[in-house]
Amino acid sequence: MQEPEVRSKLRAWILSHAKSQPKSGLTDQTLILEEGVLSSLDIAEFVLYIESLRGDEVDVESLEPRVFANIDALYSSFFADR
């Protein structure tokens, strides 16, 4: 899967599960947790979705909150080196 498609799928998942809509729309730099777009409770389900996109498990023991900052961070952390 190419980078634009991955980013689009991440964006679509986030918007479909959003607790609130970002004030200026969801960009790749929108702070997902900080702006309350997703709650920390959504992250477990989001990790499962990321695993399905990657086709591989995520090492949850090594996850840091910063990897969920925005779509740029998500792509770098989970997809860029694949």
Side-chain angles (χ1 to χ4, degrees), residues 8-73:
S8 176
K9 288 181 180 286
L10 291 171
R11 195 175 302 107
W13 191 96
I14 291 167
L15 287 172
S16 71
H17 292 80
K19 301 298 181 221
S20 66
Q21 295 299 315
K23 294 175 180 99
S24 53
L26 182 65
T27 69
D28 288 359
Q29 295 79 37
T30 300
L31 299 174
I32 298 165
L33 293 173
E34 192 172 306
E35 291 189 21
V37 179
L38 294 179
S39 73
S40 57
L41 298 175
D42 296 316
I43 296 302
E45 187 178 350
F46 195 30
V47 168
L48 294 174
Y49 180 70
I50 290 169
E51 289 177 337
S52 74
L53 286 180
R54 287 170 37 119
D56 191 18
E57 289 185 12
V58 169
D59 180 10
V60 293
E61 298 295 321
S62 66
L63 287 180
E64 297 180 23
R66 65 179 172 77
V67 303
F68 298 101
N70 55 38
I71 291 173
D72 285 340

